Amino acid sequence: MYPENWTRVTEFVLSGFPASWSLQLMLFLGLLVTYVVTVIGNLLIIVLSCSDHRLHTQMYFFLRNLSLLELILVSVVVPKMLVSILTRDYSISFAGCIMQSYLYFLLGTTDFFLLAVMSLDRYLAICRPLHYEILMNRPICVRLVMASWIAGFLWVLSPTILMASLPFCGPNVIDHFFCDSWPLMRLSCGDTLLLELVAFVLSTAVLLGSLALTSVSYACILATVLQTPTATERRKAFSTCASHLTMVIIVYGSSIFLYIRTSEAHSMLLNKGVSALGCIITPLLNPFIFSLRNDKVKQALGDALRWHRNIYARRL
């Protein structure tokens, strides 16, 4: 087809998870409950870490920003899915699709940078405890978080511009539940070689670069902890890192599987499942993995509940 004969696609259709209406209804209820729990859990971490003085530390400052990121990430994907299932309208405008794709990858990239920063924070806290407050003071923490967000914004800008400039002349059905770049790219009737190259180089750089920093940090942490004389101190040091390592394994594992590809011989159903793990399940697990199992957070939550109960009792 010659360029002058192209008919530009103005909207796409998300295939989602094709199933009968009864299964779609079960999916809707499951997603709704998951979304509500995710929003409440992450908002709770944000509010508690802001309001309780015991949580005004560097670690909880980073956790607060991670919870905010996860909250936005799940809100980029799930509400659209809920509306689509309920109305049975799976269409999304071209601009809306590009914007959803951009926000998804912006937040995902920022997530990598934040996890790397958090690994650096744990390294300094365990390996350089005497200099920790100087090396990781409040202004430095703010700069690191701002740098993570700005880097995420800039990192995915050029691939998004290239994606938006591609011609789409039909078909317009995206074999996914959101506007993921890979199935969207396959619908283009133009040359996607440059976009594929740019996306591969940038995704490889951010994944392997941030993973390398995280790996080096934890190698140093492991070496330091193994030299700790008592088992109690070793357990305490490991416990502060276990939650972060769990999140690292989930995020990096799913991302490497999805976006560092050498062929197209992947099951789309499996890809959808792994994508759901990254953008739906991970934000749900974030409060439980990082904070709600922590004694300080439990104490802060208990104090907040008792304060509200006392206020309610006085009004009665």
Side-chain angles (χ1 to χ4, degrees), residues 76 92-105 160 179:
V76 167
I92 183 171
S93 67
F94 180 87
C97 188
I98 296 297
M99 179 58 69
Q100 186 188 55
S101 179
Y102 175 71
L103 290 175
Y104 173 82
F105 287 103
T160 303
C179 291

Side-chain angles (χ1 to χ4, degrees), residues 114-130:
L114 271 180
L115 288 174
V117 167
M118 292 171 71
S119 70
L120 179 62
D121 172 70
R122 291 299 84 205
Y123 160 74
L124 293 175
I126 294 174
C127 301
R128 304 285 297 277
L130 298 179

Side-chain angles (χ1 to χ4, degrees), residues 67-221:
S67 292
L68 176 62
L69 186 149
E70 300 288 2
L71 183 60
I72 300 173
L73 176 60
V74 74
S75 298
V76 167
V77 176
V78 173
K80 172 60 180 174
M81 293 179 65
L82 293 174
V83 172
S84 296
I85 295 173
L86 197 61
T87 62
R88 301 191 185 187
D89 179 11
Y90 295 89
S91 62
I92 183 171
S93 67
F94 180 87
C97 188
I98 296 297
M99 179 58 69
Q100 186 188 55
S101 179
Y102 175 71
L103 290 175
Y104 173 82
F105 287 103
L106 183 157
L107 295 165
T109 303
T110 305
D111 198 6
F112 295 138
F113 290 128
L114 271 180
L115 288 174
V117 167
M118 292 171 71
S119 70
L120 179 62
D121 172 70
R122 291 299 84 205
Y123 160 74
L124 293 175
I126 294 174
C127 301
R128 304 285 297 277
L130 298 179
H131 302 90
Y132 177 67
E133 293 297 332
I134 298 174
L135 296 174
M136 196 62 76
N137 56 46
R138 179 74 178 193
I140 291 178
C141 290
V142 172
R143 292 191 192 104
L144 287 172
V145 169
M146 289 181 62
S148 298
W149 282 96
I150 293 171
F153 172 81
L154 297 175
W155 208 270
V156 299
L157 189 59
S158 58
T160 303
I161 293 174
L162 289 173
M163 179 73 78
S165 63
L166 287 175
F168 293 90
C169 42
N172 68 335
V173 178
I174 301 175
D175 191 11
H176 218 299
F177 58 84
F178 74 101
C179 291
D180 193 4
S181 62
W182 187 255
L184 181 59
M185 195 188 308
R186 294 172 63 184
L187 296 180
S188 174
C189 50
D191 185 6
T192 62
L193 181 60
L194 177 60
L195 174 57
E196 291 182 38
L197 179 61
V198 171
F200 179 81
V201 170
L202 291 179
S203 60
T204 302
V206 69
L207 276 170
L208 298 186
S210 58
L211 184 57
L213 176 59
T214 301
S215 300
V216 171
S217 297
Y218 273 103
C220 295
I221 289 172

